[in-house]
Amino acid sequence: MTNTEIIVNFLIAIALGALVGLEREFKQIHKDKNVRSYGGIRTFPLIALFGALCGFFSDQYSIVFPVIGFAATAFLIIISHYIFASRKGRIGLTTEIAGLITFLVGVLAYLNLTILAVSIAVVMTLLLYGRVSLHEFARHLKEGELYSTIKFAIIAFVILPILPNKEFGPFGIFNPHQIWAMVVLVSAISFVGYVLVKMIGPRVRQVMSFLMGFVSSTATTLALINEKQGWAQFTYNVVLANTAMITKMLVLIFILQRTIFYQVILPFGLMIIASLSIAAYLRITHGYKGNIVALGSPFTLKPALKFAGAFLIILSLVRLGTIYLGQNGAYVLSFVSGLADSDSAVLSALQLTTPNFVAIASTAVVL
């Protein structure tokens, strides 16, 4: 590693520590003025710098330096926590744990694992800053939703790794690991939308339908039908929900098939622009409000199994249609499948294995 690279890595470590420290300092100044913790805008960059130094010494001398450094940092933080707890009755450990993670972020930054270090620091800062919203989310979470989430987490992160990752059946259509991985991916994206609705919904009522569209644009539309509202209001909300569905499709394609993503970004972008233009027109001419519709958590076993079944059926039809009817068969079946379940239809098109895969799959996805 050159001297320039070493300096850059040290600067990255300090910057990431400053990001975390800024959030902690902001909290103390603006939110918890009566509660002081051991660290702020100066301490956290120093902790990250210490981590980077330990990474440097491990690179030059021995791997034992990060271990000793982490132990020393933990010891100092424990003493600080004990002092604050004895004086103020403070028992929270959030800032203390953040300090330990910041040390490790500094080590990662020096070791040139920049993306990992930045990702950890940013996620940690978001978790620290979103304390109120996260507590509100937990407070309003229903017991059934929590239970469903735990069940799905077991199935996704315990069962998924042990499912056989090989093809079964005619033409290798059935791959248990692949199918369930798609279920986990789609459900996770839908769950993010559901969490956003729970956390910030009332404060962004005007885009509520868009957020609910990430959970299920079909369920959102059906729920809106039962509400008393004019045609302009109904259309505005439905258009936003379906715009979210198109956006979710783009996210899925970007994650799974980057080559296809670059092929479909233009038509998908035009769909999104057209939808937002309609919504903007209705908002300007008729006014608007976001409808809060009661939707169940998508992170449950029953919807996941239904999606897995739909995905398997549509995948089988599209693959068999491609084999026996050629690319036109794939196009027709993708279009028809999209009427039933857009998630399954898009994912099935991405699983095509044909000589002209990119062109056929891109067209099928758009259809």
Side-chain angles (χ1 to χ4, degrees):
M1 192 181 300
T2 64
N3 290 334
T4 302
E5 290 175 332
I6 292 174
I7 294 173
V8 169
N9 290 344
F10 270 96
L11 291 176
I12 291 174
I14 295 171
L16 294 177
L19 175 65
V20 180
L22 181 63
E23 190 283 330
R24 294 286 83 187
E25 190 84 15
F26 176 85
K27 177 192 172 185
Q28 292 182 40
I29 294 174
H30 296 282
K31 296 185 178 182
D32 294 335
K33 296 181 180 180
N34 297 324
V35 178
R36 300 295 297 175
S37 66
Y38 71 89
I41 190 63
R42 294 180 302 169
T43 305
F44 278 88
L46 290 174
I47 292 175
L49 176 60
F50 183 48
L53 282 170
C54 290
F56 172 78
F57 288 127
S58 72
D59 192 33
Q60 298 294 321
Y61 303 107
S62 171
I63 192 66
V64 75
F65 280 97
V67 177
I68 296 175
F70 184 81
T73 304
F75 179 71
L76 292 174
I77 289 176
I78 290 171
I79 293 176
S80 173
H81 176 76
Y82 174 77
I83 294 173
F84 277 105
S86 60
R87 289 180 180 178
K88 304 290 185 179
R90 182 176 179 274
I91 58 174
L93 287 172
T94 304
T95 304
E96 285 74 9
I97 298 299
L100 295 177
I101 297 175
T102 302
F103 173 87
L104 297 176
V105 165
V107 176
L108 292 174
Y110 174 79
L111 295 176
N112 223 20
L113 299 171
T114 308
I115 295 178
L116 180 59
V118 171
S119 300
I120 292 174
V122 170
V123 170
M124 178 169 60
T125 305
L126 288 174
L127 289 174
L128 293 171
Y129 181 74
R131 183 193 65 171
V132 175
S133 297
L134 290 171
H135 285 309
E136 283 294 316
F137 172 70
R139 187 175 294 113
H140 293 93
L141 192 66
K142 298 177 182 177
E143 184 177 356
E145 295 171 338
L146 177 60
Y147 182 58
S148 297
T149 302
I150 294 173
K151 285 192 300 182
F152 194 92
I154 293 173
I155 294 170
F157 303 111
V158 177
I159 303 300
L160 177 62
I162 64 175
L163 287 175
N165 189 12
K166 61 180 181 179
E167 287 72 24
F168 296 93
F171 307 105
I173 290 175
F174 181 60
N175 185 318
H177 188 275
Q178 180 189 71
I179 291 173
W180 198 247
M182 297 300 102
V183 173
V184 172
L185 177 61
V186 173
S187 297
I189 293 175
S190 298
F191 191 63
V192 169
Y194 179 77
V195 171
L196 289 175
V197 170
K198 284 280 188 177
M199 290 175 60
I200 63 176
R203 283 171 282 175
V204 288
R205 185 179 177 88
Q206 64 271 24
V207 294
M208 179 61 67
S209 295
F210 181 82
L211 293 176
M212 292 188 300
F214 276 98
V215 182
S216 173
S217 58
T218 303
T220 302
T221 302
L222 292 175
L224 290 170
I225 289 175
N226 297 321
E227 296 197 358
K228 294 180 180 180
Q229 54 186 326
W231 70 268
Q233 181 64 52
F234 173 77
T235 305
Y236 173 82
N237 285 289
V238 170
V239 166
L240 284 183
N242 283 276
T243 304
M245 179 269 293
I246 298 171
T247 306
K248 183 169 73 171
M249 294 300 100
L250 266 182
V251 173
L252 285 171
I253 297 167
F254 179 82
I255 294 173
L256 297 172
Q257 288 286 356
R258 205 68 56 84
T259 304
I260 303 299
F261 173 81
Y262 296 124
Q263 296 293 320
V264 303
I265 184 64
L266 177 59
F268 271 64
L270 292 175
M271 294 180 202
I272 293 173
I273 291 172
S275 300
L276 292 178
S277 299
I278 295 172
Y281 171 77
L282 292 171
R283 172 177 174 174
I284 293 171
T285 57
H286 294 83
Y288 70 96
K289 64 179 181 178
N291 291 50
I292 298 181
V293 178
L295 293 176
S297 171
F299 228 29
T300 56
L301 179 57
K302 186 176 179 180
L305 292 176
K306 288 172 65 177
F307 176 83
F311 178 52
L312 178 59
I313 293 172
I314 293 174
L315 177 62
S316 302
L317 291 175
V318 171
R319 283 193 177 178
L320 292 174
T322 305
I323 293 171
Y324 292 108
L325 302 176
Q327 66 184 46
N328 290 331
Y331 296 156
V332 172
L333 289 169
S334 293
F335 179 82
V336 174
S337 301
L339 297 174
D341 190 318
S342 56
D343 292 340
S344 298
V346 168
L347 292 175
S348 298
L350 295 179
Q351 306 302 320
L352 289 173
T353 54
T354 60
N356 196 14
F357 163 71
V358 174
I360 295 177
S362 299
T363 304
V365 163
V366 173
L367 287 172

